[in-house]
Amino acid sequence: AQKVTQAQTEISVVEKEDVTLDCVYETRDTTYYLFWYKQPPSGELVFLIRRNSFDEQNEISGRYSWNFQKSTSSFNFTITASQVVDSAVYFCALRTLNAGNMLTFGGGTRLMVKP
Amino acid sequence: KAGVTQTPRYLIKTRGQQVTLSCSPISGHRSVSWYQQTPGQGLQFLFEYFSETQRNKGNFPGRFSGRQFSNSRSEMNVSTLELGDSALYLCASSPEAGEGNEQFFGPGTRLTVL
């Protein structure tokens, strides 16, 4: 069985601060995919990144960066110089190779960026 | 390309009624998945359809069912509604089944059961 844990239920920062959202996953499969999604108040889940289990390279996209470490089963997400528009709920998700398109989501982290 | 569309966006029903929600995937996408989001249980997978066949099913009672049409549009049906079925129902589409494909989500249908 798969499991994704986002221990931080809510984080509050002041604009321009850096913030890291933690994600820890569990799976016995050797091939899997990890995702981050953003859910603004409108409700739609917005895809941010996908990472496969064979690619441990960290990735940076503008103010966003992701740190994937298989040794600790973690896939953390950092926002540098946060902005008010980053306020949303962020979800980490896992999909294994044999599970079709079924995503197992973590509980989400609500990020509030205050001006 | 138009994104994933879901209709209706909001729905109010009473206990015991049934409801049908609709999802139109991104043009060319053949996989459609449904998720239920509630404050207590979070985001939970309901089922996935690919080429009109159900490929995966989550741990939900038989009152929850779905289907996919030849044009990849999908519907989900909930019969004998219960108060606990109040949730945001999200649909996601993907080009193919499995592998590393991203899933693109629609805006959701917010169902309230009174």
Side-chain angles (χ1 to χ4, degrees), chain A residues 44, chain B residues 1-5 24-29 93 104-105:
Chain A
E44 184 170 341
Chain B
K1 263 186 181 178
V4 179
T5 58
S24 292
I26 291 171
S27 177
H29 286 194
S93 81
F104 298 91
F105 283 79

Side-chain angles (χ1 to χ4, degrees), chain A:
Chain A
Q2 284 69 240
K3 185 178 180 182
V4 178
T5 302
Q6 295 179 254
Q8 307 148 307
T9 55
E10 205 166 288
I11 300 176
S12 181
V13 300
V14 176
E15 207 170 20
K16 297 184 183 176
E17 282 185 20
D18 298 348
V19 58
T20 295
L21 310 182
D22 297 333
C23 172
V24 173
Y25 62 92
E26 294 175 33
T27 179
R28 292 181 180 178
D29 289 49
T30 55
T31 301
Y32 51 88
Y33 306 90
L34 295 163
F35 301 79
W36 275 94
Y37 283 88
K38 173 183 180 179
Q39 187 176 43
S42 61
E44 184 170 341
L45 283 168
V46 178
F47 167 79
L48 295 177
I49 191 172
R50 177 196 72 210
R51 208 20 128 223
N52 73 48
S53 54
F54 296 103
D55 182 2
E56 284 193 73
Q57 275 192 329
N58 292 330
E59 180 156 337
I60 298 175
S61 175
R63 296 184 297 108
Y64 295 171
S65 63
W66 291 269
N67 182 0
F68 175 32
Q69 291 195 329
K70 284 179 76 171
S71 61
T72 55
S73 297
S74 65
F75 186 42
N76 297 337
F77 172 32
T78 297
I79 302 175
T80 302
S82 60
Q83 299 176 1
V84 173
V85 293
D86 296 327
S87 297
V89 181
Y90 291 86
F91 290 94
C92 180
L94 167 71
R95 186 170 78 221
T96 57
L97 182 63
N98 299 317
N101 278 319
M102 181 181 80
L103 289 168
T104 299
F105 284 91
T109 297
R110 180 177 299 278
L111 174 65
M112 291 177 291
V113 182
K114 299 177 181 177

